[in-house]
Amino acid sequence: MEEKKLDINSIIGFVLIFGILMYMLWQNQPTPEELEAQEKAKQEQVETEQKAENQESSLATSSEDFSTISEPDSTQLTDLRNKLGAFSYSASLPSATTKETTVENEVLRLKFSSKGGYLSEVMLKNYVNYDSVPIYLIKDKNVNFNINFGTTDSRILNTRDLHFQPSITKNGENTIVSMKLKVSESKFLEYRYELKPNDYMIGFTIRSQGLNDVINSSQEINLDWTLKGYRHDKSVQYENRYTRLTYQHEGNKVSKLGQMGDDEEDEEEVNWLSYRQHFFSSILLSEKPLEKVKLISNNLVEDEEIDTVYTKLYTSKFPLGLEGGEVNQALSFYYGPTDSKILKKYKKNLEESIPFGWGIFGWINKSVFIPLFAFLSGIFPYGIAIIIMTILVRIVMSPVTYKSYVSQAKMKILKPEIAEIQAKHKDNKIKIQQETMALYSKAGASPMAGCLPALVQLPVFYALFMFFPTAFDLRQKSFLWAEDLSSYDTIAELPFHIPFYGDHVSLFPILASIAIFIYMKMTTGQQMASQPTQEGMPDMQKMMKYMIYFSPLMMLFFFNNYASGLSLYYFVSNLITIGIMLVIKNYIIDEDKIHDKIQENKKKPKKQNRFQKKMAEMMEQAEQQKKVKGRKK
């Protein structure tokens, strides 16, 4: 009974203590005014931390801003002089800390490193990559910009290891960033950058002042510019195909280094050089041609599943000339989209860095398809513009399709007669060829007539093959299920990687492959029906049967990682071609009329041209030689 009482008393005691504690907490809780004061104090602390962070990342732009930083002591100064000679002055300045200066306009945000004085970060403000991350052409030390030179006190120095003093000024609306590597306040090597409003081109001058007795003029002053190109597209392999070092030399001649492997070239004079990363470019231009330039391109993508950060490593090396013992080199940098409309504005032939195709293929793109697509896409959505352009191309090419089909129809009608000739002269191949050619000549038919239309279409086919992967306007433009017409569309992700195909399934290549299969089934079937089998020749019918299946399969694999805009074009193009062929076959071509016309032509005396006469003479001579050999035996 006593134990029970004790337990009850203990419980009552604990309850009373808990109640007292809760009462004390309630009494001591902060008032609304105190809570507001605490919140304000927290906000001020956050703002103070952010301000300190911004001050740390944004470098002050004059030496006065570093007046609180302690100067090196005498021992440190001695060490700097022993190491850097005259340039120890620059290392002793308060700005000799590795920080960055940030400036920007409407399209670019730039950071300059005080150590090395070069552009350490370039962000394009209006673009993002496939993963919605801002486009950086330079970031995280993917660049090296260095001048290697000798001094009169027998030192070899690199600007990348030396500290430049930054300053920012204004020239009208332009922002001037000056990075000076100083020997004294009046003697220095300067990188001068000029950024204009809403412009991707940055003026860049390298000049020295008062260094004629510091820089050794008997040794070459070499500039190295190295850049590792970041991947920006969904498929790094596809992007890498259109990532190339391109340069203009010998006047207006434009050349490129290797597309996929490693390559290098030495050029005597270069006007500009472009580190093209598919849809974005880093271009160095010079007012005077750069002399003795060494250009190097190294492929960094060996395995698409592993190498997914960088595409290529670009390197350019060239000497800087001296004038009166001083450096004075006027250059410019372009960091921006590989867009022909923008590049043309600079009137430096920079648009030629875009791979439109060589010769007639490039001319077709620049003169026909680019203006046509620009017009259509200004009126219609981009996917619809592709379809309309495809329809127009097929209508223009329909006479060629018609001629090809007529030629095949003629060959089909003549096939029985050719078979008779082969049976009649089965032991005399020369006679078969003579009579077959005579028949073709009288009937106005030719086995080559069906091939010529296909050859006529090749320039258009190849031009469009180059147009779609380089059309900047298609970048990140959606149509139906395709999120980006400049990249592949995806309807399913695979849990594994198929060699040459990828780890996804694209629908447009599947549709294009089906359309190609139907088209080839129609055309190849017609060709097989019209082509006679010749003894001693390869079995063309068998080869054509293989092609019916091989071509769509190749399309399916090859285009799975290509631009969906290109697959859309091939799909629509083949559908239209199938429709045109059905109309020609069922409503335009009458095989009976063609047969009657052939018979009429055969009755007319046919005058042979010079080539036909020569061929007939050669066959006749071969026939005579064969007879002579037969007699000797």
Side-chain angles (χ1 to χ4, degrees):
M1 187 75 178
E2 202 57 21
E3 281 181 22
K4 193 172 183 182
K5 202 175 208 181
L6 181 63
D7 289 340
I8 292 170
N9 290 335
S10 299
I11 292 168
I12 293 170
F14 285 130
V15 170
L16 287 172
I17 291 168
F18 179 75
I20 292 166
L21 286 171
M22 292 300 294
Y23 177 76
M24 289 174 66
L25 288 171
W26 180 75
Q27 283 289 341
N28 292 320
Q29 70 177 339
T31 63
E33 292 79 10
E34 288 173 330
L35 285 171
E36 188 177 343
Q38 287 176 10
E39 189 64 33
K40 191 174 180 181
K42 282 182 184 178
Q43 186 67 27
E44 287 175 356
Q45 185 179 353
V46 169
E47 288 175 1
T48 303
E49 288 174 359
Q50 286 180 344
K51 193 181 283 185
E53 230 174 79
N54 291 337
Q55 285 175 348
E56 190 176 336
S57 63
S58 180
L59 179 66
T61 60
S62 64
S63 58
E64 287 79 8
D65 296 319
F66 291 94
S67 57
T68 58
I69 300 176
S70 59
E71 295 183 1
D73 57 32
S74 58
T75 305
Q76 289 174 320
L77 284 172
T78 302
D79 290 341
L80 287 172
R81 287 194 191 100
N82 291 335
K83 185 179 179 181
L84 303 176
F87 289 97
S88 62
Y89 177 82
S90 184
S92 68
L93 293 173
S95 58
T97 52
T98 307
K99 294 192 177 183
E100 293 178 321
T101 301
T102 302
V103 297
E104 58 186 286
N105 62 10
E106 292 80 359
V107 295
L108 293 173
R109 191 181 76 187
L110 310 174
K111 287 187 179 181
F112 302 85
S113 172
S114 65
K115 186 175 182 180
Y118 61 90
L119 267 166
S120 58
E121 185 172 295
V122 175
M123 187 190 86
L124 305 185
K125 296 170 74 172
N126 299 329
Y127 301 100
V128 294
N129 69 6
Y130 71 100
D131 210 18
S132 300
V133 175
I135 295 288
Y136 286 92
L137 298 182
I138 298 177
K139 190 183 180 184
D140 298 332
K141 300 180 180 179
N142 72 319
V143 68
N144 176 53
F145 190 89
N146 178 59
I147 296 176
N148 174 273
F149 62 96
T151 63
T152 51
D153 57 356
S154 302
R155 301 173 195 275
I156 301 296
L157 298 178
N158 293 289
T159 56
R160 67 179 172 226
D161 303 324
L162 304 175
H163 294 275
F164 288 65
Q165 188 177 61
S167 65
I168 300 177
T169 55
K170 283 284 186 180
N171 180 16
E173 293 185 338
N174 300 351
T175 302
I176 308 297
V177 178
S178 173
M179 308 293 287
K180 290 181 178 178
L181 176 61
K182 292 185 173 182
V183 167
S184 68
E185 284 303 310
S186 60
K187 296 182 177 183
F188 50 80
L189 174 69
E190 180 186 26
Y191 293 167
R192 186 179 185 275
Y193 303 88
E194 184 168 2
L195 182 64
K196 298 176 183 178
N198 201 34
D199 199 345
Y200 293 102
M201 190 72 75
I202 305 164
F204 178 53
T205 303
I206 304 172
R207 74 179 190 96
S208 66
Q209 179 176 299
L211 298 186
N212 55 336
D213 60 346
V214 177
I215 295 177
N216 188 348
S217 59
S218 65
Q219 293 179 320
E220 274 195 345
I221 304 171
N222 294 305
L223 188 150
D224 296 355
W225 181 36
T226 302
L227 181 71
K228 281 168 44 171
Y230 279 114
R231 168 222 186 153
H232 300 306
D233 293 356
K234 279 199 292 186
S235 171
V236 66
Q237 283 283 12
Y238 174 67
E239 180 178 10
N240 207 24
R241 287 192 191 103
Y242 299 95
T243 298
R244 292 181 81 173
L245 196 159
T246 310
Y247 57 97
Q248 180 174 287
H249 61 112
E250 298 176 22
N252 289 328
K253 187 177 179 181
V254 176
S255 299
K256 303 176 180 68
L257 292 191
Q259 187 175 22
M260 298 304 290
D262 298 341
D263 195 10
E264 63 179 73
E265 195 66 62
D266 294 309
E267 292 293 345
E268 286 301 314
E269 290 188 348
V270 173
N271 303 101
W272 53 257
L273 54 97
S274 171
Y275 293 171
R276 174 162 49 84
Q277 298 164 237
H278 196 186
F279 285 125
F280 300 96
S281 295
S282 305
I283 306 175
L284 178 65
L285 306 90
S286 179
E287 288 187 8
K288 296 179 182 178
L290 303 171
E291 298 180 352
K292 298 178 181 178
V293 183
K294 187 173 188 64
L295 303 163
I296 305 170
S297 174
N298 299 112
N299 182 32
L300 302 180
V301 182
E302 295 180 5
D303 187 333
E304 186 174 5
E305 295 184 78
I306 299 171
D307 309 318
T308 56
V309 179
Y310 302 105
T311 51
K312 285 189 173 71
L313 171 65
Y314 295 128
T315 303
S316 300
K317 301 179 181 181
F318 53 89
L320 297 174
L322 291 174
E323 296 176 7
E326 302 286 356
V327 178
N328 190 8
Q329 185 79 47
L331 304 165
S332 297
F333 280 115
Y334 173 88
Y335 291 103
T338 314
D339 185 346
S340 61
K341 295 191 296 296
I342 295 173
L343 295 175
K344 272 184 180 179
K345 292 178 183 177
Y346 298 106
K347 298 180 179 178
K348 299 287 185 180
N349 208 33
L350 299 178
E351 65 275 10
E352 291 300 319
S353 65
I354 303 172
F356 294 126
W358 54 271
I360 189 173
F361 310 114
W363 181 86
I364 291 171
N365 271 328
K366 287 180 278 189
S367 304
V368 180
F369 292 132
I370 291 174
L372 176 61
F373 188 76
F375 171 74
L376 293 173
S377 60
I379 302 172
F380 304 99
Y382 286 91
I384 301 298
I386 291 173
I387 293 172
I388 293 172
M389 187 170 81
T390 308
I391 293 169
L392 293 174
V393 170
R394 294 319 306 169
I395 289 173
V396 170
M397 299 303 293
S398 59
V400 177
T401 307
Y402 172 76
K403 286 185 179 180
S404 176
Y405 203 92
V406 169
S407 175
Q408 290 175 15
K410 285 182 178 181
M411 294 299 295
K412 182 182 177 182
I413 292 165
L414 291 175
K415 188 176 180 180
E417 295 185 48
I418 294 170
E420 287 179 16
I421 292 171
Q422 289 174 347
K424 184 179 178 182
H425 306 284
K426 59 182 178 181
D427 297 325
N428 192 334
K429 294 178 184 177
I430 294 175
K431 196 68 176 176
I432 291 173
Q433 290 177 349
Q434 283 179 325
E435 293 201 14
T436 302
M437 287 185 65
L439 177 64
Y440 287 153
S441 179
K442 286 180 181 179
S446 171
M448 293 301 295
C451 301
L452 289 174
L455 292 174
V456 171
Q457 294 183 72
L458 271 180
V460 176
F461 176 88
Y462 184 75
L464 286 165
F465 179 79
M466 297 301 294
F467 168 77
F468 284 102
T470 57
F472 188 85
D473 288 343
L474 291 179
R475 187 177 181 273
Q476 296 183 345
K477 300 299 189 300
S478 62
F479 180 66
L480 299 178
W481 58 85
E483 296 177 354
D484 184 352
L485 285 167
S486 72
S487 186
Y488 59 80
D489 64 289
T490 306
I491 58 167
E493 296 284 353
L494 299 175
F496 47 83
H497 186 274
I498 301 173
F500 306 108
Y501 185 76
D503 56 2
H504 64 277
V505 177
S506 298
L507 183 54
F508 275 129
I510 293 173
L511 295 175
S513 298
I514 293 169
I516 286 174
F517 175 77
I518 296 169
Y519 167 72
M520 292 198 71
K521 195 79 173 171
M522 291 173 63
T523 56
T524 308
Q526 177 78 0
Q527 287 173 358
M528 286 192 294
S530 63
Q531 290 291 335
T533 305
Q534 296 186 21
E535 192 178 345
M537 297 295 289
D539 191 346
M540 295 302 294
Q541 292 189 9
K542 195 172 184 181
M543 291 174 65
M544 287 178 181
K545 284 179 181 178
Y546 287 138
M547 287 300 295
I548 291 175
Y549 300 97
F550 177 74
S551 295
L553 194 63
M554 187 177 68
M555 171 78 190
L556 184 65
F557 270 78
F558 187 72
F559 286 90
N560 195 59
N561 290 298
Y562 252 73
S564 53
L566 183 62
S567 299
L568 171 62
Y569 163 77
Y570 284 134
F571 169 55
V572 176
S573 178
N574 281 287
L575 279 184
I576 295 169
T577 306
I578 290 167
I580 290 172
M581 288 184 65
L582 288 173
V583 170
I584 291 171
K585 181 181 178 180
N586 295 317
Y587 299 101
I588 298 176
I589 288 182
D590 188 333
E591 291 189 5
D592 293 332
K593 286 184 179 180
I594 293 174
H595 182 269
D596 293 340
K597 193 171 183 180
I598 287 173
Q599 298 307 319
E600 287 177 17
N601 289 338
K602 284 164 67 175
K603 293 174 184 176
K604 295 176 184 177
K606 191 73 176 180
K607 189 177 179 180
Q608 290 182 324
N609 58 36
R610 290 178 65 184
F611 175 75
Q612 288 172 328
K613 283 182 179 178
K614 192 70 177 174
M615 287 295 295
E617 288 172 6
M618 289 172 64
M619 288 183 180
E620 190 65 36
Q621 288 173 5
E623 180 68 17
Q624 292 296 331
Q625 288 174 3
K626 186 177 179 183
K627 287 179 180 178
V628 170
K629 285 181 182 178
R631 287 172 190 161
K632 287 181 179 179
K633 287 179 182 179

